[in-house]
Amino acid sequence: MPYMACIVDELPALRVLIAAPRGFCAGVDRAIQIVEMALERFGAPVYVRHEIVHNRFVVDRLRDLGAVFVDELDEVPDDRPVVFSAHGVPKSVPAAATTRGLTYVDATCPLVSKVHRQAQRLIEEGRHILFIGHAGHPEVIGTFGQVPAGSITLIETVEDALGVSVPDGTTLAFLTQTTLSVDDTAQIVESLKTRFPAIRAPRSEDICYATSNRQAAVKAIAGECERLLVIGAPNSSNSLRLAEVAERMGVPARLIERGADIDWDWLGRPATLGLTAGASAPEVLVREVIDALRSRFEVTEEVADHTPERMIFKLPRELLPDQAA
Ligand code: SF4
């Protein structure tokens, strides 16, 4: 038998350093459970105003179970229940639902509701609010909708903080969106405090624990990574911030929605790749990305535990089994 050379191409080695905590936060977990429980309680279809959380995979799965996603309340039939998304809604939305006699369940994250209550209290105290956030984000629209028009001003950048004008004698306070960059927000707050030394700060941080922890976990691994992938939707604020954190530390980062989105040319052949997921991205997508990496690399996985999380939020009483009619 003639001698036959058998050449097997070996896959290049890749260490995948997986940030922890990553992925679902307690608010997203709760919002998804609320839709699932509403489907059990009321049967399909259950209407959901806006994406319940910013993740297509999650939305598609709930749609398959019988959820119908709509942009506005007037698309909801009178005889069907509606769920409001985790980002929160302006006061006018539950008010309109009540007027129409709709059954509604509010899946607003309790940490967003906390900001809503703070805003209302500050207005009652006669203050004008400077709100640090991103224009057009549903959470910002929801928070602005808690207070009278004209009583709150959006501040997106340090330049906005330096340029904002308020009438003499206005007593000020600031609040922030929950999913901002910790570092950018600190700079904006610093500028506001320098310009307006008497400005009232929130009693505790408005940027939520999940946003801060995920950013800190990326910072902790960035120094060891040549590239970093963030799993999350392009409209997910906290996911975008994770990519920014890595880039600012000099690590090229990409936001991808799933395994099929990996740009192999951009990825190249790093020795160590960082991997994380935004607060609305399920763990199944992390596994999917790792499987995609395994098709081209000999992957070794390593989880870099940063801050353990134990946060759980209570579910709305009206959905709990002992509240059944
Ligand atoms: S990211 Fe923070 S504020 Fe948003 S749902 Fe999660 S815990 Fe709540």
Side-chain angles (χ1 to χ4, degrees):
M1 190 173 160
Y3 172 77
M4 287 174 66
C6 178
I7 300 167
V8 178
D9 280 341
E10 279 190 9
L11 296 174
L14 176 66
R15 174 181 175 232
V16 180
L17 197 47
I18 309 169
R22 64 180 175 280
F24 277 5
C25 59
V28 162
D29 211 33
R30 173 179 181 270
I32 294 168
Q33 275 191 66
I34 286 174
V35 177
E36 290 169 349
M37 291 171 83
L39 281 161
E40 265 173 44
R41 167 67 59 92
F42 304 111
V46 163
Y47 284 72
V48 183
R49 185 182 174 276
H50 292 179
E51 286 188 325
I52 184 76
V53 299
H54 282 152
N55 188 277
R56 204 186 323 164
F57 182 89
V58 171
V59 167
D60 287 347
R61 191 182 72 79
L62 293 172
R63 190 179 284 122
D64 288 345
L65 294 175
V68 176
F69 292 87
V70 294
D71 288 332
E72 292 308 334
L73 211 56
D74 53 21
E75 297 168 63
V76 180
D78 288 339
D79 60 346
R80 294 311 306 163
V82 58
V83 177
F84 303 144
S85 84
H87 309 101
V89 289
K91 264 184 177 175
S92 56
V93 174
T98 304
T99 305
R100 280 184 56 196
L102 291 178
T103 300
Y104 69 85
V105 188
D106 190 355
T108 302
C109 175
L111 298 182
V112 174
S113 300
K114 186 187 93 178
V115 178
H116 290 180
R117 287 193 299 275
Q118 284 177 316
Q120 288 161 3
R121 218 172 297 131
L122 290 167
I123 297 304
E124 282 160 19
E125 288 172 16
R127 292 179 186 267
H128 183 91
I129 300 169
L130 300 179
F131 188 82
I132 306 170
H134 298 297
H137 190 279
E139 184 184 326
V140 175
I141 295 169
T143 303
F144 272 54
Q146 305 303 312
V147 296
S151 62
I152 186 165
T153 303
L154 185 64
I155 303 289
E156 291 192 86
T157 60
V158 167
E159 289 69 40
D160 288 350
L162 297 175
V164 67
S165 61
V166 290
D168 284 346
T170 309
T171 50
L172 290 172
F174 75 85
L175 295 173
T176 82
Q177 193 179 324
T178 57
T179 50
L180 298 179
S181 150
V182 171
D183 297 336
D184 286 355
T185 306
Q187 282 184 28
I188 296 173
V189 167
E190 207 38 55
S191 308
L192 287 176
K193 284 183 171 169
T194 306
R195 269 200 75 198
F196 308 109
I199 195 167
R200 163 88 64 87
R203 239 177 263 147
S204 62
E205 185 64 79
D206 286 333
I207 296 178
C208 77
Y209 79 97
T211 299
S212 333
N213 287 350
R214 279 151 192 69
Q215 289 176 23
V218 165
K219 283 183 186 168
I221 63 168
E224 293 184 60
C225 305
E226 286 139 69
R227 293 273 188 282
L228 186 125
L229 288 174
V230 179
I231 304 169
N235 56 347
S236 159
S237 174
N238 80 86
S239 305
L240 288 162
R241 304 293 82 80
L242 293 176
E244 273 175 18
V245 164
E247 291 270 353
R248 284 182 188 171
M249 292 185 70
V251 184
R254 284 275 170 96
L255 185 64
I256 57 170
E257 291 197 76
R258 39 195 326 168
D261 298 338
I262 298 172
D263 177 342
W264 300 104
D265 291 337
W266 169 84
L267 185 63
R269 284 192 174 194
T272 301
L273 168 71
L275 181 61
T276 187
S280 39
E283 186 64 13
V284 64
L285 294 180
V286 175
R287 297 317 314 167
E288 185 186 281
V289 167
I290 292 173
D291 286 346
L293 292 166
R294 285 191 191 284
S295 69
R296 305 218 179 190
F297 295 93
E298 191 60 48
V299 170
T300 314
E301 293 176 42
E302 222 176 283
V303 175
D305 253 320
H306 189 262
T307 314
E309 286 182 351
R310 290 182 199 86
M311 188 76 82
I312 296 173
F313 295 134
K314 280 187 193 156
L315 289 159
R317 288 185 61 238
E318 63 266 35
L319 289 179
L320 297 177
D322 59 343
Q323 302 299 317

